Amino acid sequence: MAGAATPSGRGKRATGQAAGRMTRDAWIEAGIAALIDEGIANVKIQVMAKRLGVSRSSFYWFFPDLQDLHKELLEHWLRRNTGPIIERALRPAPTVTKAVCHIFECWVDPSLFDPRLDAAVRSWGQVDTSIRSIVDQADDQRVDAVTRMFLRYDYPEEEAFVRARVLYFTQIGHFTLGMRDDRDTRLRLLRPYLLGFTGRQASDDEAAAFETLMRRIQPDA
C-alpha cells in the first residue's frame, strides 16, 4: 500500500469504525470538490480527510493509492460531461434545429453538464500530458457525436464536421472564458445561434419549446 501504514490493534479497530461511517463515493465526491475548488495539486488525502472529518488513514480502506482515486475522478467526469452530450446528439429529432436544441440542453441544465468540473479537468490536462490525452479523446468523442448528428440531416461530411466543431468549441470556449450570459440573453439569441450553427431557421414551436424548458430549469435566472 503505497505510502500508507497498515492499521493494527486498537488503531485498526478505530480506523475501521471511521471507515465504516465513510463510503467510497464520499471520498470521490471530496476529490471532485477539491479538484474543482483548488485544482489537482490539492487533491490530497489530508485535504480530503479534513473535508470529511475523518482520519487520512481511512482513505486506504477504499483506495490502494491516490492514483486510483484520480482514475475514479476521470471516470466520473467522462460519465458526467461526455455521456449526456453523446446521448443528446444521438436523440431523434424531426429537424436539425430541434436536434441542436437537444444538445443545448446540456449547456443550460447543470444536471447534464458541469462547466466547473470540465474546466478543472482541462486545467489538470495542462500539467499532465496523460490527462491531456484523455481530454483530447473526450473532445473527439463529443465532436464525433455532433458530426454524426449533422450527417443525419444530409450535410456534406466535411461541412458536418466543421459545424460540429464550431458548435461544440464555441460553447466550451464560453465556459472556459467564464462568460455568463443571463437566461433572457440566451433566449433572445437562441434563434440567431441556431441559424449560425445550422444555416437553417428554427420554427416558432421549436424556439417556444426550448424557452419553456429553459425557464423550467432556470426559474429564477
Side-chain angles (χ1 to χ4, degrees):
M1 196 175 292
T6 302
S8 61
R10 183 181 303 173
K12 182 174 182 178
R13 288 194 297 274
T15 303
Q17 290 169 358
R21 295 192 298 271
M22 192 50 54
T23 65
R24 183 180 177 88
D25 285 346
W27 280 103
I28 294 171
E29 289 170 7
I32 292 166
L35 177 65
I36 291 173
D37 294 341
E38 305 174 69
I40 192 60
N42 283 296
V43 179
K44 298 178 178 177
I45 298 170
Q46 186 171 353
V47 172
M48 293 181 290
K50 186 175 181 180
R51 283 176 179 261
L52 295 169
V54 297
S55 165
R56 68 189 300 274
S57 61
S58 68
F59 173 87
Y60 295 100
W61 286 81
F62 303 101
F63 302 93
D65 51 38
L66 193 57
Q67 286 67 41
D68 191 51
L69 176 65
H70 286 178
K71 179 182 176 182
E72 292 286 349
L73 298 183
L74 287 171
E75 290 179 355
H76 171 86
W77 167 69
L78 288 169
R79 289 192 304 271
R80 180 77 166 76
N81 280 10
T82 297
I85 294 174
I86 294 174
E87 189 277 329
R88 291 305 189 281
L90 297 177
R91 185 175 288 183
T95 65
V96 68
T97 45
K98 181 66 173 180
V100 172
C101 283
H102 287 161
I103 296 173
F104 280 1
E105 292 177 23
C106 296
W107 309 148
V108 302
D109 187 344
S111 72
L112 298 176
F113 187 91
D114 186 337
R116 295 182 67 212
L117 175 60
D118 218 63
V121 174
R122 291 177 188 280
S123 294
W124 184 4
Q126 295 301 310
V127 297
D128 187 326
T129 56
S130 66
I131 302 303
R132 176 58 188 269
S133 177
I134 293 171
V135 171
D136 289 345
Q137 290 173 24
D139 283 336
D140 288 345
Q141 290 173 348
R142 298 172 186 182
V143 170
D144 178 67
V146 180
T147 299
R148 284 183 281 136
M149 180 204 74
F150 278 111
L151 288 172
R152 295 202 307 271
Y153 300 94
D154 299 323
Y155 289 84
E157 186 170 347
E158 190 169 79
E159 181 181 348
F161 175 65
V162 170
R163 287 186 182 277
R165 285 173 60 89
V166 170
L167 188 160
Y168 172 68
F169 286 114
T170 294
Q171 187 59 55
I172 294 300
H174 272 65
F175 287 143
T176 302
L177 293 172
M179 297 178 67
R180 293 289 184 267
D181 290 340
D182 60 30
R183 184 192 64 192
D184 290 341
T185 299
R186 286 183 169 190
L187 289 174
R188 177 172 56 82
L189 297 176
L190 172 65
R191 295 180 74 155
Y193 268 124
L194 288 170
L195 177 60
F197 289 141
T198 69
R200 302 177 190 179
Q201 292 282 358
S203 70
D204 291 343
D205 287 346
E206 289 168 347
F210 190 81
E211 179 174 351
T212 298
L213 175 99
M214 194 167 178
R215 291 188 183 279
R216 185 175 73 248
I217 293 171
Q218 301 179 10
D220 302 320

